[in-house]
Amino acid sequence: MYTQGLTPETETPVRAIGDEAAMARFQARIDAEQRIEPNDAMPAAYRRTLLRQISQHAHSEIVGMLPEGNWITRAPSLRRKVALLAKVQDECGHGLYLYAAAETLDATREQLYDDLLAGKARYSSIFNYPTPTWADIGAIGWLVDGAAIMNQIPLCRCSYGPYARAMIRVCKEESFHQRQGFEIMMTLARGTDAQKRMAQDALNRWWWPCLMMFGPPDTQSQHSDTSTLWKIKRFSNDELRQKFVDATVPQAHHLGLSLPDPKLHFDEISGHWRYGDIDWEEFRQVLAGHGPCNQERMAARRKAHDDGAWVREAALAHAEKHKARAA
Amino acid sequence: MATPRFPLWEVFIRSRTGLAHRHVGSLHAVDVASALEAARDLFTRRNEGVSIWVVPSASISASDPAEKAMMFDPASDKIYRHPTFYEVPEDVGHM
Ligand SMILES: [Fe+2]
Ligand SMILES: [Fe+2]
């Protein structure tokens, strides 16, 4: 995950590819499963696609701390509190690894932050849903992190070296997230009737938004073709969604919970769990800024950034003063 | 509301005594002390290290990938630098 600092300052860090022969050489490297590194020649569209994907991923990790952070002070036991605190801290780390990877593509950290805060950058739709009960923390760990892992494991083999390396670190840290969420759900599902209802209610609310996390169906996805050609993406949205459903439905049954989809059934011939229609209009609305918590999430990020401004200024002033004294 | 720029650092971690420091990633920090603290918080939350180096990224000089062939090709045909180039009869045993 090294960064643009390794590039001589006199030249543009990321070399663009123009002519067709160079494009063919680039594609040959991709086809040979070679990793592309920051200073290598790459098509401008490859750089743009990656920068968009990695920065959205980074923003998602950072905004993703908010729904769970909501419960840190109210976790029901010390065991749950330390686990949740550690998980949220990991998500912050994931955001930082990913910002560093994005910076290798000729973006500055400051620009990435400012784009998010100005509402110009996207983050995962899932973090615009609220966490009204403790069971939501279980559902997020089990389902949201479960879906994220499905998505992130193939990204460990992404053709862009810094992104792939960041994903390897992230995936190592991610597995406890899902397990702690499942454990919360299991405890509730085996608890009193009220606790079981709470778990079922959380599953009902998170299930469909989690299926939407994988993005639009393959028939409508705009970015998939080139992303697949360039081995940024190894599986299509629908393939990943199906993997997630197949892995998760038996886990829900194990918990004794039901899934909020009357059309869900096991297809003996294909060996897959087939699910009903996803409400893509809801997905579009949330992405367009009209989800239940979009305003709240952005307001919280802006407040944190503004409240931290004096700390950043003081830290810089302190460093300057010490440098001046040492000189 | 532009965010002020913090310098960039490369982080190297020795995971166990006896091993070399290895590059693990990069971060932004205002000075050495805060770079070290941030590196600890970011890269060693699960006992991944016993020692950390932080180096200002601007201090690192890298070879130019465009000159990869000039840099590294001269080494690729010197097979006599490898032990397998030399013949030792089998009955001599391991050498
Ligand atoms: Fe994460
Ligand atoms: Fe996670």
Side-chain angles (χ1 to χ4, degrees):
Chain A
M1 239 194 302
Y2 54 80
T3 57
Q4 77 276 36
L6 302 188
T7 312
E9 268 171 33
T10 46
E11 57 182 304
T12 34
V14 180
R15 286 168 225 257
I17 288 187
D19 63 289
E20 261 173 53
M23 277 297 261
R25 275 199 301 278
F26 177 79
Q27 191 60 49
R29 289 193 60 190
I30 299 274
D31 294 343
E33 294 290 333
Q34 285 182 19
R35 292 287 175 272
I36 307 301
E37 296 295 342
N39 293 355
D40 291 344
M42 64 182 91
Y46 178 81
R47 190 191 76 85
R48 266 199 317 274
T49 303
L50 274 166
L51 182 55
R52 185 186 55 237
Q53 181 170 337
I54 300 173
S55 59
Q56 283 179 4
H57 198 160
H59 299 322
S60 302
E61 302 283 352
I62 297 300
V63 177
M65 288 191 281
L66 295 170
E68 290 179 292
N70 183 31
W71 279 91
I72 290 174
T73 58
R74 296 177 291 159
S77 68
L78 185 59
R79 177 185 154 92
R80 295 290 188 226
K81 187 185 287 211
V82 292
L84 184 56
L85 198 55
K87 177 188 188 294
V88 172
Q89 205 181 1
D90 277 355
E91 305 301 3
C92 177
H94 298 173
L96 297 181
Y97 304 152
L98 284 158
Y99 280 130
E103 286 172 78
T104 65
L105 292 162
D106 216 4
T108 66
R109 180 75 58 102
E110 295 75 16
Q111 191 57 50
L112 295 167
Y113 284 163
D114 291 346
D115 283 352
L116 174 68
L117 298 175
K120 283 191 251 170
R122 275 183 176 175
Y123 56 88
S124 175
S125 57
I126 197 74
F127 301 117
N128 291 312
Y129 289 86
T131 47
T133 77
W134 171 250
D136 291 315
I137 302 308
I140 289 183
W142 170 40
L143 300 172
V144 176
D145 287 78
I149 291 168
M150 267 321 161
N151 198 25
Q152 288 172 161
I153 285 177
L155 287 173
C156 294
R157 293 186 294 126
C158 165
S159 61
Y160 189 56
Y163 194 25
R165 291 191 287 276
M167 280 301 107
I168 290 170
R169 279 196 77 88
V170 165
C171 285
K172 270 188 199 156
E173 299 184 353
E174 203 72 69
S175 68
F176 112 76
H177 298 180
Q178 194 184 15
R179 290 171 67 118
Q180 65 91 39
F182 189 77
E183 198 188 271
I184 291 171
M185 291 302 269
M186 203 161 58
T187 307
L188 292 171
R190 289 176 183 168
T192 64
D193 284 351
Q195 285 172 320
K196 191 169 175 180
R197 271 200 305 278
M198 196 195 271
Q200 182 64 59
D201 168 64
L203 172 54
N204 292 349
R205 283 181 292 109
W206 288 94
W207 177 250
W208 290 107
C210 279
L211 297 195
M212 294 173 198
M213 277 176 75
F214 296 95
D218 295 351
T219 48
Q220 291 168 28
S221 179
Q222 337 163 10
H223 307 303
S224 276
D225 292 349
T226 44
S227 287
T228 306
L229 185 69
W230 287 332
K231 303 201 175 179
I232 297 170
K233 240 178 129 70
R234 300 272 177 171
F235 296 98
S236 75
N237 295 353
D238 286 334
E239 283 171 335
L240 289 170
R241 190 165 14 246
Q242 186 64 60
K243 273 175 188 264
F244 173 75
V245 171
D246 289 341
T248 312
V249 170
Q251 293 165 358
H253 292 159
H254 184 94
L255 292 171
L257 300 176
S258 61
L259 292 147
D261 177 358
K263 287 191 186 161
L264 185 78
H265 66 278
F266 188 70
D267 175 26
E268 294 282 350
I269 296 163
S270 67
H272 290 300
W273 284 93
R274 296 301 183 199
Y275 48 92
D277 300 327
I278 295 172
D279 180 359
W280 291 112
E281 185 48 31
E282 174 180 328
F283 178 69
R284 274 188 289 277
Q285 287 297 324
V286 177
L287 274 190
H290 310 306
C293 299
N294 295 56
Q295 308 273 323
E296 192 185 326
R297 300 295 182 235
M298 287 311 298
R301 283 311 311 151
R302 288 188 190 118
K303 183 175 186 307
H305 195 75
D306 293 345
D307 289 353
W310 73 270
V311 181
R312 293 188 295 273
E313 277 162 28
L316 268 175
H318 178 80
E320 291 299 327
K321 194 175 81 186
H322 277 258
K323 221 190 277 169
R325 263 192 212 155
Chain B
M1 71 165 159
T3 312
R5 270 172 188 245
F6 282 16
L8 187 67
W9 303 75
E10 300 304 320
V11 181
F12 299 81
I13 289 182
R14 184 199 298 286
S15 56
R16 277 191 289 120
T17 15
L19 296 182
H21 285 75
R22 217 179 128 214
H23 185 245
V24 292
S26 21
L27 53 80
H28 292 267
V30 286
D31 55 19
V32 177
S34 56
L36 279 170
E37 268 174 34
R40 179 203 58 195
D41 291 347
L42 192 53
F43 295 108
T44 65
R45 289 197 306 281
R46 290 177 175 83
N47 280 319
E48 291 97 332
V50 293
S51 164
I52 301 174
W53 290 348
V54 288
V55 181
S57 305
S59 305
I60 294 181
S61 309
S63 62
D64 184 345
E67 284 169 15
K68 199 168 129 201
M70 203 174 77
M71 286 285 276
F72 304 109
D73 281 1
S76 64
D77 60 355
K78 297 182 175 51
I79 48 173
Y80 48 85
R81 287 179 174 165
H82 299 274
T84 43
F85 183 72
Y86 302 92
E87 223 170 279
V88 176
E90 232 168 78
D91 54 355
V92 174
H94 180 73
M95 185 182 283

